[in-house]
Amino acid sequence: MQGPHLIEFSKVGAPGLGYLSVAQNSELPFPIQRVYWTYFTPDEVLRGHHAHHDLEQLIFAVSGQITFTLEDLNGQQQTFELSRPNIGLYIPRLYWRTIRFSHYAVLLCLASHEYDEADYIRDYDEFQRLGGRLKA
Ligand code: TYD
């Protein structure tokens, strides 16, 4: 299984004209089932604090800067700074994430499944138990 990584999408356009980037299923690590976006998140707020059993995601900062801290089942952490609208962050299943936003940042998420609350792991102890770091 591939870990979290950045994927660069092509840009069409020019300085003074503006740019367009496109994501289509044939070029993605998974077929898109859902798209959502978040906005107006105050910059003092940390969001996320969950992992997913099955969901895979591709995340863009279409505006502003977004910092993702990802932790795998072994407790290894990686941080990714998103600030270019043509760069996506691929997040596989089973990564605990915390997310910080700059003022007016807009996060766009392409997701592999429709919304299902049962797919969320919102309890950090449960996440640690899944990785065998915490005994039942
Ligand atoms: P959540 O995924 O916890 O957001 P974040 O990680 O950005 O803090 O979702 C916040 C709330 O929105 C939660 O109550 C579930 C709801 N929600 C939906 O109803 N549908 C969706 O597709 C998503 C992503 C969230």
PDB file of all heavy atoms in Angstrom, residues 82-114:
ATOM      1  N   LEU A  82       0.079  22.363   2.347  1.00  0.00           N
ATOM      2  CA  LEU A  82      -0.564  22.541   1.045  1.00  0.00           C
ATOM      3  C   LEU A  82      -0.796  24.031   0.825  1.00  0.00           C
ATOM      4  O   LEU A  82      -1.415  24.692   1.665  1.00  0.00           O
ATOM      5  CB  LEU A  82      -1.912  21.824   1.009  1.00  0.00           C
ATOM      6  CG  LEU A  82      -1.876  20.300   1.104  1.00  0.00           C
ATOM      7  CD1 LEU A  82      -3.297  19.760   1.161  1.00  0.00           C
ATOM      8  CD2 LEU A  82      -1.132  19.722  -0.081  1.00  0.00           C
ATOM      9  N   SER A  83      -0.301  24.554  -0.295  1.00  0.00           N
ATOM     10  CA  SER A  83      -0.555  25.964  -0.590  1.00  0.00           C
ATOM     11  C   SER A  83      -0.636  26.219  -2.091  1.00  0.00           C
ATOM     12  O   SER A  83      -0.877  27.343  -2.505  1.00  0.00           O
ATOM     13  CB  SER A  83       0.540  26.845   0.011  1.00  0.00           C
ATOM     14  OG  SER A  83       1.793  26.476  -0.508  1.00  0.00           O
ATOM     15  N   ARG A  84      -0.443  25.171  -2.885  1.00  0.00           N
ATOM     16  CA  ARG A  84      -0.540  25.358  -4.344  1.00  0.00           C
ATOM     17  C   ARG A  84      -1.770  24.600  -4.831  1.00  0.00           C
ATOM     18  O   ARG A  84      -1.897  23.396  -4.591  1.00  0.00           O
ATOM     19  CB  ARG A  84       0.731  24.845  -5.022  1.00  0.00           C
ATOM     20  CG  ARG A  84       1.953  25.729  -4.684  1.00  0.00           C
ATOM     21  CD  ARG A  84       3.246  25.029  -4.996  1.00  0.00           C
ATOM     22  NE  ARG A  84       3.358  24.653  -6.399  1.00  0.00           N
ATOM     23  CZ  ARG A  84       4.273  23.811  -6.872  1.00  0.00           C
ATOM     24  NH1 ARG A  84       5.145  23.251  -6.064  1.00  0.00           N
ATOM     25  NH2 ARG A  84       4.312  23.531  -8.146  1.00  0.00           N
ATOM     26  N   PRO A  85      -2.675  25.302  -5.536  1.00  0.00           N
ATOM     27  CA  PRO A  85      -3.957  24.682  -5.897  1.00  0.00           C
ATOM     28  C   PRO A  85      -3.840  23.476  -6.830  1.00  0.00           C
ATOM     29  O   PRO A  85      -4.810  22.732  -6.977  1.00  0.00           O
ATOM     30  CB  PRO A  85      -4.715  25.827  -6.590  1.00  0.00           C
ATOM     31  CG  PRO A  85      -4.048  27.068  -6.147  1.00  0.00           C
ATOM     32  CD  PRO A  85      -2.609  26.730  -5.878  1.00  0.00           C
ATOM     33  N   ASN A  86      -2.686  23.277  -7.459  1.00  0.00           N
ATOM     34  CA  ASN A  86      -2.552  22.122  -8.367  1.00  0.00           C
ATOM     35  C   ASN A  86      -1.839  20.943  -7.705  1.00  0.00           C
ATOM     36  O   ASN A  86      -1.510  19.967  -8.377  1.00  0.00           O
ATOM     37  CB  ASN A  86      -1.815  22.518  -9.652  1.00  0.00           C
ATOM     38  CG  ASN A  86      -0.368  22.863  -9.401  1.00  0.00           C
ATOM     39  OD1 ASN A  86      -0.069  23.565  -8.437  1.00  0.00           O
ATOM     40  ND2 ASN A  86       0.530  22.390 -10.239  1.00  0.00           N
ATOM     41  N   ILE A  87      -1.613  21.033  -6.385  1.00  0.00           N
ATOM     42  CA  ILE A  87      -0.962  19.928  -5.680  1.00  0.00           C
ATOM     43  C   ILE A  87      -1.968  19.287  -4.727  1.00  0.00           C
ATOM     44  O   ILE A  87      -2.532  19.959  -3.851  1.00  0.00           O
ATOM     45  CB  ILE A  87       0.236  20.435  -4.836  1.00  0.00           C
ATOM     46  CG1 ILE A  87       1.227  21.212  -5.694  1.00  0.00           C
ATOM     47  CG2 ILE A  87       0.910  19.271  -4.101  1.00  0.00           C
ATOM     48  CD1 ILE A  87       2.127  20.390  -6.554  1.00  0.00           C
ATOM     49  N   GLY A  88      -2.175  17.986  -4.887  1.00  0.00           N
ATOM     50  CA  GLY A  88      -3.109  17.266  -4.028  1.00  0.00           C
ATOM     51  C   GLY A  88      -2.350  16.376  -3.051  1.00  0.00           C
ATOM     52  O   GLY A  88      -1.271  15.860  -3.374  1.00  0.00           O
ATOM     53  N   LEU A  89      -2.928  16.195  -1.865  1.00  0.00           N
ATOM     54  CA  LEU A  89      -2.355  15.274  -0.877  1.00  0.00           C
ATOM     55  C   LEU A  89      -3.205  14.008  -0.849  1.00  0.00           C
ATOM     56  O   LEU A  89      -4.409  14.071  -0.549  1.00  0.00           O
ATOM     57  CB  LEU A  89      -2.345  15.929   0.513  1.00  0.00           C
ATOM     58  CG  LEU A  89      -1.994  15.008   1.686  1.00  0.00           C
ATOM     59  CD1 LEU A  89      -0.573  14.437   1.546  1.00  0.00           C
ATOM     60  CD2 LEU A  89      -2.147  15.744   3.017  1.00  0.00           C
ATOM     61  N   TYR A  90      -2.584  12.886  -1.203  1.00  0.00           N
ATOM     62  CA  TYR A  90      -3.287  11.608  -1.147  1.00  0.00           C
ATOM     63  C   TYR A  90      -3.177  11.051   0.278  1.00  0.00           C
ATOM     64  O   TYR A  90      -2.071  10.920   0.814  1.00  0.00           O
ATOM     65  CB  TYR A  90      -2.679  10.622  -2.143  1.00  0.00           C
ATOM     66  CG  TYR A  90      -3.200   9.221  -1.960  1.00  0.00           C
ATOM     67  CD1 TYR A  90      -4.515   8.910  -2.295  1.00  0.00           C
ATOM     68  CD2 TYR A  90      -2.402   8.218  -1.427  1.00  0.00           C
ATOM     69  CE1 TYR A  90      -5.020   7.631  -2.102  1.00  0.00           C
ATOM     70  CE2 TYR A  90      -2.900   6.941  -1.234  1.00  0.00           C
ATOM     71  CZ  TYR A  90      -4.216   6.660  -1.565  1.00  0.00           C
ATOM     72  OH  TYR A  90      -4.708   5.396  -1.364  1.00  0.00           O
ATOM     73  N   ILE A  91      -4.316  10.748   0.875  1.00  0.00           N
ATOM     74  CA  ILE A  91      -4.329  10.156   2.221  1.00  0.00           C
ATOM     75  C   ILE A  91      -4.969   8.773   2.137  1.00  0.00           C
ATOM     76  O   ILE A  91      -6.156   8.652   1.811  1.00  0.00           O
ATOM     77  CB  ILE A  91      -5.124  11.022   3.227  1.00  0.00           C
ATOM     78  CG1 ILE A  91      -4.628  12.468   3.205  1.00  0.00           C
ATOM     79  CG2 ILE A  91      -4.993  10.442   4.632  1.00  0.00           C
ATOM     80  CD1 ILE A  91      -5.343  13.380   4.181  1.00  0.00           C
ATOM     81  N   PRO A  92      -4.195   7.722   2.409  1.00  0.00           N
ATOM     82  CA  PRO A  92      -4.767   6.376   2.410  1.00  0.00           C
ATOM     83  C   PRO A  92      -5.657   6.159   3.622  1.00  0.00           C
ATOM     84  O   PRO A  92      -5.749   7.017   4.511  1.00  0.00           O
ATOM     85  CB  PRO A  92      -3.530   5.456   2.512  1.00  0.00           C
ATOM     86  CG  PRO A  92      -2.335   6.335   2.380  1.00  0.00           C
ATOM     87  CD  PRO A  92      -2.774   7.718   2.739  1.00  0.00           C
ATOM     88  N   ARG A  93      -6.269   5.010   3.710  1.00  0.00           N
ATOM     89  CA  ARG A  93      -7.074   4.658   4.879  1.00  0.00           C
ATOM     90  C   ARG A  93      -6.171   4.550   6.110  1.00  0.00           C
ATOM     91  O   ARG A  93      -4.957   4.362   5.995  1.00  0.00           O
ATOM     92  CB  ARG A  93      -7.817   3.342   4.639  1.00  0.00           C
ATOM     93  CG  ARG A  93      -6.914   2.189   4.252  1.00  0.00           C
ATOM     94  CD  ARG A  93      -7.691   1.032   3.673  1.00  0.00           C
ATOM     95  NE  ARG A  93      -8.462   0.371   4.707  1.00  0.00           N
ATOM     96  CZ  ARG A  93      -8.038  -0.669   5.417  1.00  0.00           C
ATOM     97  NH1 ARG A  93      -6.833  -1.190   5.206  1.00  0.00           N
ATOM     98  NH2 ARG A  93      -8.799  -1.198   6.325  1.00  0.00           N
ATOM     99  N   LEU A  94      -6.776   4.731   7.292  1.00  0.00           N
ATOM    100  CA  LEU A  94      -6.109   4.485   8.570  1.00  0.00           C
ATOM    101  C   LEU A  94      -4.952   5.450   8.887  1.00  0.00           C
ATOM    102  O   LEU A  94      -3.882   5.024   9.338  1.00  0.00           O
ATOM    103  CB  LEU A  94      -5.631   3.025   8.659  1.00  0.00           C
ATOM    104  CG  LEU A  94      -6.769   1.992   8.725  1.00  0.00           C
ATOM    105  CD1 LEU A  94      -6.218   0.570   8.607  1.00  0.00           C
ATOM    106  CD2 LEU A  94      -7.568   2.148  10.025  1.00  0.00           C
ATOM    107  N   TYR A  95      -5.152   6.732   8.584  1.00  0.00           N
ATOM    108  CA  TYR A  95      -4.215   7.777   9.027  1.00  0.00           C
ATOM    109  C   TYR A  95      -4.960   8.769   9.914  1.00  0.00           C
ATOM    110  O   TYR A  95      -5.977   9.342   9.489  1.00  0.00           O
ATOM    111  CB  TYR A  95      -3.576   8.513   7.842  1.00  0.00           C
ATOM    112  CG  TYR A  95      -2.397   7.747   7.294  1.00  0.00           C
ATOM    113  CD1 TYR A  95      -2.596   6.687   6.422  1.00  0.00           C
ATOM    114  CD2 TYR A  95      -1.103   8.051   7.705  1.00  0.00           C
ATOM    115  CE1 TYR A  95      -1.518   5.939   5.949  1.00  0.00           C
ATOM    116  CE2 TYR A  95      -0.019   7.323   7.236  1.00  0.00           C
ATOM    117  CZ  TYR A  95      -0.235   6.270   6.358  1.00  0.00           C
ATOM    118  OH  TYR A  95       0.817   5.536   5.901  1.00  0.00           O
ATOM    119  N   TRP A  96      -4.453   8.937  11.121  1.00  0.00           N
ATOM    120  CA  TRP A  96      -5.011   9.948  12.031  1.00  0.00           C
ATOM    121  C   TRP A  96      -4.551  11.313  11.558  1.00  0.00           C
ATOM    122  O   TRP A  96      -3.361  11.515  11.302  1.00  0.00           O
ATOM    123  CB  TRP A  96      -4.522   9.673  13.451  1.00  0.00           C
ATOM    124  CG  TRP A  96      -5.188  10.534  14.481  1.00  0.00           C
ATOM    125  CD1 TRP A  96      -4.733  11.718  14.962  1.00  0.00           C
ATOM    126  CD2 TRP A  96      -6.421  10.244  15.146  1.00  0.00           C
ATOM    127  NE1 TRP A  96      -5.621  12.192  15.897  1.00  0.00           N
ATOM    128  CE2 TRP A  96      -6.669  11.310  16.037  1.00  0.00           C
ATOM    129  CE3 TRP A  96      -7.347   9.201  15.081  1.00  0.00           C
ATOM    130  CZ2 TRP A  96      -7.795  11.357  16.847  1.00  0.00           C
ATOM    131  CZ3 TRP A  96      -8.468   9.245  15.889  1.00  0.00           C
ATOM    132  CH2 TRP A  96      -8.678  10.316  16.759  1.00  0.00           C
ATOM    133  N   ARG A  97      -5.473  12.260  11.394  1.00  0.00           N
ATOM    134  CA  ARG A  97      -5.084  13.574  10.871  1.00  0.00           C
ATOM    135  C   ARG A  97      -5.517  14.707  11.777  1.00  0.00           C
ATOM    136  O   ARG A  97      -6.586  14.654  12.401  1.00  0.00           O
ATOM    137  CB  ARG A  97      -5.626  13.803   9.454  1.00  0.00           C
ATOM    138  CG  ARG A  97      -7.071  14.240   9.262  1.00  0.00           C
ATOM    139  CD  ARG A  97      -8.083  13.147   9.408  1.00  0.00           C
ATOM    140  NE  ARG A  97      -7.754  11.906   8.752  1.00  0.00           N
ATOM    141  CZ  ARG A  97      -8.071  11.631   7.487  1.00  0.00           C
ATOM    142  NH1 ARG A  97      -8.760  12.501   6.781  1.00  0.00           N
ATOM    143  NH2 ARG A  97      -7.783  10.452   6.959  1.00  0.00           N
ATOM    144  N   THR A  98      -4.643  15.719  11.849  1.00  0.00           N
ATOM    145  CA  THR A  98      -5.037  17.005  12.408  1.00  0.00           C
ATOM    146  C   THR A  98      -4.738  18.046  11.335  1.00  0.00           C
ATOM    147  O   THR A  98      -3.758  17.936  10.594  1.00  0.00           O
ATOM    148  CB  THR A  98      -4.305  17.346  13.720  1.00  0.00           C
ATOM    149  OG1 THR A  98      -2.918  17.084  13.551  1.00  0.00           O
ATOM    150  CG2 THR A  98      -4.785  16.507  14.873  1.00  0.00           C
ATOM    151  N   ILE A  99      -5.597  19.058  11.273  1.00  0.00           N
ATOM    152  CA  ILE A  99      -5.570  19.988  10.143  1.00  0.00           C
ATOM    153  C   ILE A  99      -5.627  21.416  10.663  1.00  0.00           C
ATOM    154  O   ILE A  99      -6.494  21.744  11.488  1.00  0.00           O
ATOM    155  CB  ILE A  99      -6.796  19.762   9.217  1.00  0.00           C
ATOM    156  CG1 ILE A  99      -7.032  18.279   8.957  1.00  0.00           C
ATOM    157  CG2 ILE A  99      -6.641  20.519   7.910  1.00  0.00           C
ATOM    158  CD1 ILE A  99      -8.424  17.975   8.424  1.00  0.00           C
ATOM    159  N   ARG A 100      -4.687  22.246  10.193  1.00  0.00           N
ATOM    160  CA  ARG A 100      -4.697  23.665  10.552  1.00  0.00           C
ATOM    161  C   ARG A 100      -4.844  24.495   9.277  1.00  0.00           C
ATOM    162  O   ARG A 100      -4.271  24.162   8.238  1.00  0.00           O
ATOM    163  CB  ARG A 100      -3.413  24.039  11.285  1.00  0.00           C
ATOM    164  CG  ARG A 100      -3.471  25.405  11.911  1.00  0.00           C
ATOM    165  CD  ARG A 100      -2.224  25.711  12.718  1.00  0.00           C
ATOM    166  NE  ARG A 100      -2.103  24.944  13.949  1.00  0.00           N
ATOM    167  CZ  ARG A 100      -2.815  25.165  15.055  1.00  0.00           C
ATOM    168  NH1 ARG A 100      -3.727  26.119  15.091  1.00  0.00           N
ATOM    169  NH2 ARG A 100      -2.615  24.438  16.121  1.00  0.00           N
ATOM    170  N   PHE A 101      -5.627  25.552   9.376  1.00  0.00           N
ATOM    171  CA  PHE A 101      -5.953  26.370   8.199  1.00  0.00           C
ATOM    172  C   PHE A 101      -5.426  27.786   8.369  1.00  0.00           C
ATOM    173  O   PHE A 101      -5.508  28.348   9.470  1.00  0.00           O
ATOM    174  CB  PHE A 101      -7.477  26.475   8.031  1.00  0.00           C
ATOM    175  CG  PHE A 101      -8.156  25.173   7.730  1.00  0.00           C
ATOM    176  CD1 PHE A 101      -8.335  24.227   8.732  1.00  0.00           C
ATOM    177  CD2 PHE A 101      -8.605  24.889   6.469  1.00  0.00           C
ATOM    178  CE1 PHE A 101      -8.963  23.022   8.463  1.00  0.00           C
ATOM    179  CE2 PHE A 101      -9.233  23.692   6.189  1.00  0.00           C
ATOM    180  CZ  PHE A 101      -9.403  22.757   7.192  1.00  0.00           C
ATOM    181  N   SER A 102      -4.953  28.379   7.293  1.00  0.00           N
ATOM    182  CA  SER A 102      -4.683  29.813   7.323  1.00  0.00           C
ATOM    183  C   SER A 102      -6.022  30.528   7.148  1.00  0.00           C
ATOM    184  O   SER A 102      -7.042  29.922   6.778  1.00  0.00           O
ATOM    185  CB  SER A 102      -3.722  30.218   6.206  1.00  0.00           C
ATOM    186  OG  SER A 102      -4.368  30.145   4.946  1.00  0.00           O
ATOM    187  N   HIS A 103      -6.004  31.819   7.410  1.00  0.00           N
ATOM    188  CA  HIS A 103      -7.207  32.617   7.242  1.00  0.00           C
ATOM    189  C   HIS A 103      -7.734  32.468   5.813  1.00  0.00           C
ATOM    190  O   HIS A 103      -6.980  32.553   4.850  1.00  0.00           O
ATOM    191  CB  HIS A 103      -6.826  34.084   7.518  1.00  0.00           C
ATOM    192  CG  HIS A 103      -7.979  34.921   7.929  1.00  0.00           C
ATOM    193  ND1 HIS A 103      -8.854  34.546   8.913  1.00  0.00           N
ATOM    194  CD2 HIS A 103      -8.395  36.127   7.475  1.00  0.00           C
ATOM    195  CE1 HIS A 103      -9.774  35.480   9.057  1.00  0.00           C
ATOM    196  NE2 HIS A 103      -9.507  36.449   8.193  1.00  0.00           N
ATOM    197  N   TYR A 104      -9.008  32.207   5.656  1.00  0.00           N
ATOM    198  CA  TYR A 104      -9.663  32.103   4.343  1.00  0.00           C
ATOM    199  C   TYR A 104      -9.195  30.924   3.492  1.00  0.00           C
ATOM    200  O   TYR A 104      -9.411  30.911   2.285  1.00  0.00           O
ATOM    201  CB  TYR A 104      -9.546  33.402   3.538  1.00  0.00           C
ATOM    202  CG  TYR A 104     -10.415  34.503   4.092  1.00  0.00           C
ATOM    203  CD1 TYR A 104      -9.870  35.719   4.487  1.00  0.00           C
ATOM    204  CD2 TYR A 104     -11.779  34.300   4.254  1.00  0.00           C
ATOM    205  CE1 TYR A 104     -10.670  36.716   5.031  1.00  0.00           C
ATOM    206  CE2 TYR A 104     -12.588  35.283   4.789  1.00  0.00           C
ATOM    207  CZ  TYR A 104     -12.028  36.494   5.174  1.00  0.00           C
ATOM    208  OH  TYR A 104     -12.823  37.471   5.702  1.00  0.00           O
ATOM    209  N   ALA A 105      -8.574  29.946   4.128  1.00  0.00           N
ATOM    210  CA  ALA A 105      -8.202  28.766   3.347  1.00  0.00           C
ATOM    211  C   ALA A 105      -9.469  27.993   2.960  1.00  0.00           C
ATOM    212  O   ALA A 105     -10.441  27.940   3.711  1.00  0.00           O
ATOM    213  CB  ALA A 105      -7.271  27.872   4.162  1.00  0.00           C
ATOM    214  N   VAL A 106      -9.431  27.420   1.778  1.00  0.00           N
ATOM    215  CA  VAL A 106     -10.537  26.573   1.311  1.00  0.00           C
ATOM    216  C   VAL A 106      -9.969  25.198   0.987  1.00  0.00           C
ATOM    217  O   VAL A 106      -9.038  25.084   0.168  1.00  0.00           O
ATOM    218  CB  VAL A 106     -11.233  27.163   0.063  1.00  0.00           C
ATOM    219  CG1 VAL A 106     -12.349  26.236  -0.401  1.00  0.00           C
ATOM    220  CG2 VAL A 106     -11.778  28.553   0.357  1.00  0.00           C
ATOM    221  N   LEU A 107     -10.504  24.185   1.651  1.00  0.00           N
ATOM    222  CA  LEU A 107     -10.044  22.806   1.445  1.00  0.00           C
ATOM    223  C   LEU A 107     -11.057  22.100   0.558  1.00  0.00           C
ATOM    224  O   LEU A 107     -12.259  22.128   0.820  1.00  0.00           O
ATOM    225  CB  LEU A 107      -9.949  22.096   2.796  1.00  0.00           C
ATOM    226  CG  LEU A 107      -9.554  20.609   2.833  1.00  0.00           C
ATOM    227  CD1 LEU A 107      -8.931  20.275   4.186  1.00  0.00           C
ATOM    228  CD2 LEU A 107     -10.740  19.684   2.565  1.00  0.00           C
ATOM    229  N   LEU A 108     -10.538  21.473  -0.498  1.00  0.00           N
ATOM    230  CA  LEU A 108     -11.379  20.661  -1.378  1.00  0.00           C
ATOM    231  C   LEU A 108     -10.960  19.214  -1.209  1.00  0.00           C
ATOM    232  O   LEU A 108      -9.771  18.888  -1.296  1.00  0.00           O
ATOM    233  CB  LEU A 108     -11.172  21.095  -2.833  1.00  0.00           C
ATOM    234  CG  LEU A 108     -11.912  20.255  -3.872  1.00  0.00           C
ATOM    235  CD1 LEU A 108     -13.411  20.514  -3.806  1.00  0.00           C
ATOM    236  CD2 LEU A 108     -11.386  20.547  -5.264  1.00  0.00           C
ATOM    237  N   CYS A 109     -11.943  18.340  -0.971  1.00  0.00           N
ATOM    238  CA  CYS A 109     -11.633  16.918  -0.797  1.00  0.00           C
ATOM    239  C   CYS A 109     -12.360  16.091  -1.848  1.00  0.00           C
ATOM    240  O   CYS A 109     -13.581  16.199  -2.014  1.00  0.00           O
ATOM    241  CB  CYS A 109     -12.070  16.452   0.589  1.00  0.00           C
ATOM    242  SG  CYS A 109     -11.816  14.670   0.805  1.00  0.00           S
ATOM    243  N   LEU A 110     -11.599  15.253  -2.539  1.00  0.00           N
ATOM    244  CA  LEU A 110     -12.161  14.230  -3.421  1.00  0.00           C
ATOM    245  C   LEU A 110     -12.074  12.930  -2.627  1.00  0.00           C
ATOM    246  O   LEU A 110     -10.987  12.567  -2.151  1.00  0.00           O
ATOM    247  CB  LEU A 110     -11.346  14.128  -4.717  1.00  0.00           C
ATOM    248  CG  LEU A 110     -11.033  15.450  -5.423  1.00  0.00           C
ATOM    249  CD1 LEU A 110     -10.213  15.184  -6.684  1.00  0.00           C
ATOM    250  CD2 LEU A 110     -12.315  16.201  -5.760  1.00  0.00           C
ATOM    251  N   ALA A 111     -13.190  12.244  -2.482  1.00  0.00           N
ATOM    252  CA  ALA A 111     -13.225  11.094  -1.572  1.00  0.00           C
ATOM    253  C   ALA A 111     -13.659   9.829  -2.313  1.00  0.00           C
ATOM    254  O   ALA A 111     -14.419   9.875  -3.286  1.00  0.00           O
ATOM    255  CB  ALA A 111     -14.184  11.388  -0.418  1.00  0.00           C
ATOM    256  N   SER A 112     -13.169   8.694  -1.796  1.00  0.00           N
ATOM    257  CA  SER A 112     -13.399   7.414  -2.480  1.00  0.00           C
ATOM    258  C   SER A 112     -14.754   6.795  -2.155  1.00  0.00           C
ATOM    259  O   SER A 112     -15.158   5.828  -2.796  1.00  0.00           O
ATOM    260  CB  SER A 112     -12.298   6.419  -2.098  1.00  0.00           C
ATOM    261  OG  SER A 112     -12.368   6.122  -0.713  1.00  0.00           O
ATOM    262  N   HIS A 113     -15.428   7.308  -1.110  1.00  0.00           N
ATOM    263  CA  HIS A 113     -16.727   6.747  -0.724  1.00  0.00           C
ATOM    264  C   HIS A 113     -17.673   7.866  -0.324  1.00  0.00           C
ATOM    265  O   HIS A 113     -17.229   8.958   0.054  1.00  0.00           O
ATOM    266  CB  HIS A 113     -16.597   5.802   0.476  1.00  0.00           C
ATOM    267  CG  HIS A 113     -15.821   4.557   0.196  1.00  0.00           C
ATOM    268  ND1 HIS A 113     -14.451   4.496   0.287  1.00  0.00           N
ATOM    269  CD2 HIS A 113     -16.227   3.328  -0.206  1.00  0.00           C
ATOM    270  CE1 HIS A 113     -14.052   3.268  -0.026  1.00  0.00           C
ATOM    271  NE2 HIS A 113     -15.106   2.545  -0.337  1.00  0.00           N
ATOM    272  N   GLU A 114     -18.944   7.572  -0.351  1.00  0.00           N
ATOM    273  CA  GLU A 114     -19.929   8.516   0.164  1.00  0.00           C
ATOM    274  C   GLU A 114     -19.798   8.596   1.681  1.00  0.00           C
ATOM    275  O   GLU A 114     -19.162   7.753   2.309  1.00  0.00           O
ATOM    276  CB  GLU A 114     -21.335   8.096  -0.264  1.00  0.00           C
ATOM    277  CG  GLU A 114     -21.489   8.214  -1.772  1.00  0.00           C
ATOM    278  CD  GLU A 114     -22.929   8.254  -2.246  1.00  0.00           C
ATOM    279  OE1 GLU A 114     -23.844   8.267  -1.399  1.00  0.00           O
ATOM    280  OE2 GLU A 114     -23.123   8.279  -3.465  1.00  0.00           O
TER     281      GLU A 114
END
